[in-house]
């Protein structure tokens, strides 16, 4: 069946962390993790997280593991600092870095597909997308903070599909975590392509892209 709708994750797909804001607790200690270290920790976290049984708080669990690994690598033993880093990362407002030409790529895709968002967030992801200038690219924005269920729970994917009145088989989803995004989407019958900027899944044997431009190319071959 031809693909009619494309749904996007937000974090590490459309928008990226403002590390200046989120890593404030480390910067106060004069600790400034390099981009290379953060990328390595992201890949390590994804491998560990994907090996675990999913639970009802996927987003919190992921970032708890991420910052546990990061602080261990930095030689910092401070549970309060870890918890503060997790809390700052889970604030939608801190996901405000956008890659150049994101809006242009989305508008090109919107010429062919209906576009939507499915995000594990805090109920405020619409406001963040508006501030970043891309909210109007989407027909619907489904936020776990409003739905009450986080990916990979089927309810959040089903809510998004209902908003479009389209079938799962006509829809494709892209997000960055295999056990949350790929498994969640395919379990309800959607197609899925991992949005793998960090390269964590280069050897995983699943469909993946590293940019919106690569996603456009992938879709053109379907």
């Amino acid at each position: 069946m031809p693909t009619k709708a494309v749904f996007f994750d937000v974090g590490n797909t459309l928008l990226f962390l403002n590390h200046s804001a989120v890593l404030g607790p480390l910067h106060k200690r004069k600790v400034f993790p390099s981009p290379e270290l953060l990328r390595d920790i992201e890949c390590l976290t994804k491998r560990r997280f994907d090996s675990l049984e999913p639970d009802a708080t996927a987003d919190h669990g992921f970032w708890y593991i991420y910052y546990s690994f990061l602080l261990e690598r930095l030689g910092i033993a401070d549970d309060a600092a870890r918890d503060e880093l997790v809390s700052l990362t889970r604030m939608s407002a801190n996901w405000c870095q956008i890659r150049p030409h994101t809006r242009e790529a989305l508008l090109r895709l919107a010429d062919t597909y209906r576009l939507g968002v499915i995000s594990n967030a805090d109920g405020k992801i619409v406001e963040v997308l508006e501030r970043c200038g891309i909210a109007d690219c989407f027909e619907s924005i489904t936020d776990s903070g409003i739905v009450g269920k986080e990916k990979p729970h089927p309810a959040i994917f089903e809510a998004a599909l209902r908003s479009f009145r389209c079938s799962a088989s006509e829809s494709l989803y892209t997000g960055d975590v295999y056990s949350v995004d790929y498994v969640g989407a395919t379990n309800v019958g959607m197609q899925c392509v991992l949005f793998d900027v960090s390269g964590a899944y280069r050897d995983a044997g699943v469909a993946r892209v590293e940019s919106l431009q690569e996603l456009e190319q992938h879709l053109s071959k379907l």
Side-chain angles (χ1 to χ4, degrees):
M1 189 171 292
T3 301
K4 296 181 180 178
V6 178
F7 292 91
F8 294 83
D9 185 18
V10 174
N12 286 331
T13 304
L14 295 172
L15 303 178
F16 297 83
L17 267 177
N18 179 350
H19 286 114
S20 295
V22 170
L23 298 181
L26 296 180
H27 296 168
K28 289 177 183 177
R29 298 169 179 251
K30 307 301 181 185
V31 175
F32 299 89
S34 69
E36 293 76 18
L37 174 58
L38 296 176
R39 183 171 59 250
D40 288 348
I41 295 298
E42 180 182 339
C43 293
L44 179 63
T45 301
K46 286 176 175 175
R47 289 192 291 271
R48 174 64 63 85
F49 187 77
D50 289 342
S51 72
L52 302 175
E53 290 292 327
D55 61 26
T57 55
D59 192 60
H60 180 276
F62 182 91
W63 293 111
Y64 183 95
I65 294 171
Y66 178 94
Y67 287 113
S68 296
F69 278 145
L70 179 61
L71 292 179
E72 180 181 4
R73 188 74 63 88
L74 294 171
I76 298 172
D78 188 332
D79 290 349
R82 179 202 59 217
D83 293 345
E84 184 178 4
L85 288 163
V86 171
S87 179
L88 287 168
T89 300
R90 297 188 70 213
M91 292 175 58
S92 291
N94 287 328
W95 289 87
C96 57
Q97 302 300 300
I98 186 166
R99 282 177 147 188
H101 312 301
T102 292
R103 180 176 175 83
E104 291 87 343
L106 291 171
L107 291 175
R108 286 194 301 271
L109 288 169
D111 285 338
T112 305
Y113 307 97
R114 302 176 67 192
L115 304 186
V117 162
I118 305 172
S119 178
N120 284 352
D122 55 5
K124 300 177 181 179
I125 203 65
V126 172
E127 299 167 23
V128 177
L129 292 169
E130 287 174 345
R131 285 199 296 273
C132 292
I134 57 173
D136 63 321
C137 296
F138 306 103
E139 287 187 45
S140 77
I141 298 172
T142 306
D143 183 326
S144 69
I146 295 173
V147 174
K149 296 291 185 182
E150 288 189 355
K151 298 174 297 178
H153 197 285
I156 188 169
F157 294 98
E158 291 165 352
L161 290 168
R162 283 196 302 273
S163 73
F164 269 29
R165 293 185 174 86
C166 69
S167 68
S169 61
E170 297 173 307
S171 306
L172 181 142
Y173 182 71
T174 186
D176 72 301
V177 180
Y178 176 82
S179 57
V180 173
D181 298 306
Y182 193 94
V183 171
T186 57
N187 277 351
V188 298
M190 300 173 77
Q191 305 167 71
C192 188
V193 177
L194 284 173
F195 203 89
D196 187 27
V197 174
S198 69
Y201 299 108
R202 283 180 183 148
D203 301 316
V206 295
R208 56 176 291 278
V209 297
E210 295 187 12
S211 67
L212 288 176
Q213 290 71 31
E214 287 186 17
L215 180 63
E216 289 181 83
Q217 293 169 13
H218 177 90
L219 287 165
S220 70
K221 298 173 184 176
L222 295 180

